Amino acid sequence: MGDVFCSDCKRHTEVVFDHSAGDTVCSECGLVLESHSIDETSEWRTFANESGDNDPVRVGGPTNPLLADGGLTTVIAKPNGSSGDFLSSSLGRWQNRGSNPDRGLIVAFKTIATMADRLGLVATIKDRANEIYKRVEDQKSSRGRNQDALLAACLYIACRQEDKPRTVKEICSVANGATKKEIGRAKEYIVKQLGLETGQSVEMGTIHAGDFMRRFCSNLGMTNQTVKAAQESVKKSEEFDIRRSPISIAAAVIYIITQLSDDKKLLRDISVATGVAEGTIRNSYKDLYPHLPKIIPAWYANEEDLKNLQSP
């Protein structure tokens, strides 16, 4: 009920809204002040097949420009024990017999979405991976290749291009059995195909050790102070010509920072959290050791602390 001016009563009166007819009626004289009104509020009715389903959603999914029909096809549901079993099952069989040109893409996009969700990646990375896969698939040259490796490689490239890189080992952990070598080969193949399509090299984005630092530190349960020191140290390390991969440098910096703190981490634990072999961390530590006075923040460790640090 609300307060609206009634032309018959010549004053503001309370009105009643008749939802079934869409009429606004004066509660005192019964005059219909407005008819066939559109109710713009949410309609929480259930249009699900099964009576036990309380999902109030009655709209379809978002459109997908990568699919021929925008992803808005009609799918006939499976029978649910109602009187329409025979009809719905027959229609479902006929629909399955029909050719859907996007069926392979839909399956691939679902696989990419699953991998992205398991890694906690944002929607923009997922969309970029879908786009990369669609471009490769349109060239009709990926038949016979390892599909899981191909999809994982698309996700790896998308992470690089969106400046949210993941290690190949992290991608491999959700790649449905594809090995690091297979993903590496698939990545090279995709880069080559995209390069042929555009006529120029594919921009992959530059990886920095700092891109992995916060995630690795979080995996190890490090304190805010040690995380801040590790981030500053890894940024300083970029000023020196240390010929190691960014991931190896990140792991070595974490090892050094934790050794300077009260909460020391075992080399084995750092290796597990970062995916870098213990031997590689040691060798990276050796390369960083001569530059430690200029890399480690002065507020975190003084010269005496650095001297007491075990030499590699």
Side-chain angles (χ1 to χ4, degrees):
M1 297 179 69
D3 193 23
V4 177
F5 183 82
C6 176
S7 57
D8 267 14
C9 300
K10 306 297 182 181
R11 58 190 175 86
H12 281 81
T13 61
E14 287 190 346
V15 295
V16 178
F17 185 74
D18 183 354
H19 291 272
S20 59
D23 296 338
T24 303
V25 183
C26 175
S27 61
E28 295 193 11
C29 68
L31 177 68
V32 177
L33 301 176
E34 187 177 357
S35 61
H36 303 296
S37 302
I38 297 175
D39 185 3
E40 297 180 351
T41 59
S42 301
E43 184 179 23
W44 295 120
R45 284 191 291 165
T46 301
F47 289 80
N49 289 330
E50 300 180 14
S51 58
D53 190 347
N54 294 321
D55 183 8
V57 175
R58 66 181 298 263
V59 295
T63 58
N64 189 338
L66 300 178
L67 300 177
D69 55 8
L72 298 179
T73 53
T74 299
V75 178
I76 300 172
K78 295 180 180 179
N80 60 356
S82 63
S83 58
D85 283 359
F86 175 76
L87 179 62
S88 60
S89 61
S90 300
L91 290 174
R93 282 199 301 271
W94 279 107
Q95 185 185 49
N96 290 333
R97 289 174 187 172
S99 59
N100 183 355
D102 290 333
R103 184 173 297 174
L105 283 177
I106 292 171
V107 173
F109 292 168
K110 285 182 179 178
T111 304
I112 289 174
T114 301
M115 291 192 293
D117 290 342
R118 290 176 63 186
L119 289 172
L121 302 177
V122 295
T124 52
I125 295 177
K126 192 189 308 180
D127 294 341
R128 177 62 67 92
N130 290 343
E131 180 188 345
I132 293 170
Y133 179 78
K134 177 69 163 56
R135 289 169 61 188
V136 173
E137 186 68 16
D138 285 347
Q139 297 183 30
K140 307 295 184 183
S141 59
S142 60
R143 184 165 297 182
R145 293 186 173 273
N146 186 326
Q147 188 75 356
D148 290 325
L150 204 64
L151 295 173
C154 289
L155 194 60
Y156 174 80
I157 295 171
C159 290
R160 291 276 300 269
Q161 291 183 341
E162 292 293 323
D163 294 325
K164 301 291 182 184
R166 291 294 188 273
T167 65
V168 178
K169 193 166 185 177
E170 286 177 300
I171 299 291
C172 187
S173 67
V174 299
N176 300 321
T179 64
K180 289 173 65 176
K181 183 177 287 188
E182 289 171 335
I183 295 173
R185 288 173 180 169
K187 186 202 78 171
E188 296 301 325
Y189 164 76
I190 292 171
V191 170
K192 180 182 177 182
Q193 292 301 119
L194 295 183
L196 291 174
E197 179 192 35
T198 59
Q200 56 188 9
S201 60
V202 178
E203 180 60 42
M204 290 281 287
T206 306
I207 294 180
H208 301 282
D211 295 333
F212 307 97
M213 188 57 69
R214 181 166 288 279
R215 192 165 69 256
F216 289 166
C217 291
S218 176
N219 293 341
L220 288 164
M222 294 167 58
T223 64
N224 291 335
Q225 188 179 29
T226 53
V227 171
K228 182 181 177 183
Q231 289 177 319
E232 289 186 21
S233 300
V234 83
K235 191 172 182 179
K236 279 284 186 181
S237 67
E238 294 177 359
E239 300 175 4
F240 302 94
D241 185 21
I242 301 168
R243 302 191 178 183
R244 294 281 175 182
S245 71
I247 303 170
S248 302
I249 293 174
V253 167
I254 289 174
Y255 175 72
I256 294 166
I257 291 296
T258 56
Q259 295 309 301
L260 291 168
S261 70
D262 296 330
D263 185 20
K264 294 178 172 55
K265 303 293 182 183
L266 296 176
L267 189 62
R268 180 177 64 254
D269 294 337
I270 296 174
S271 176
V272 171
T274 60
V276 181
E278 293 182 31
T280 304
I281 298 176
R282 288 195 190 94
N283 292 331
S284 300
Y285 176 31
K286 290 178 183 178
D287 294 341
L288 287 168
Y289 189 78
H291 309 290
L292 290 186
K294 295 181 180 179
I295 291 177
I296 306 299
W299 61 264
Y300 185 76
N302 54 39
E303 291 184 13
E304 190 65 29
D305 295 328
L306 296 178
K307 287 179 181 178
N308 295 332
L309 192 64
Q310 183 180 0
S311 60

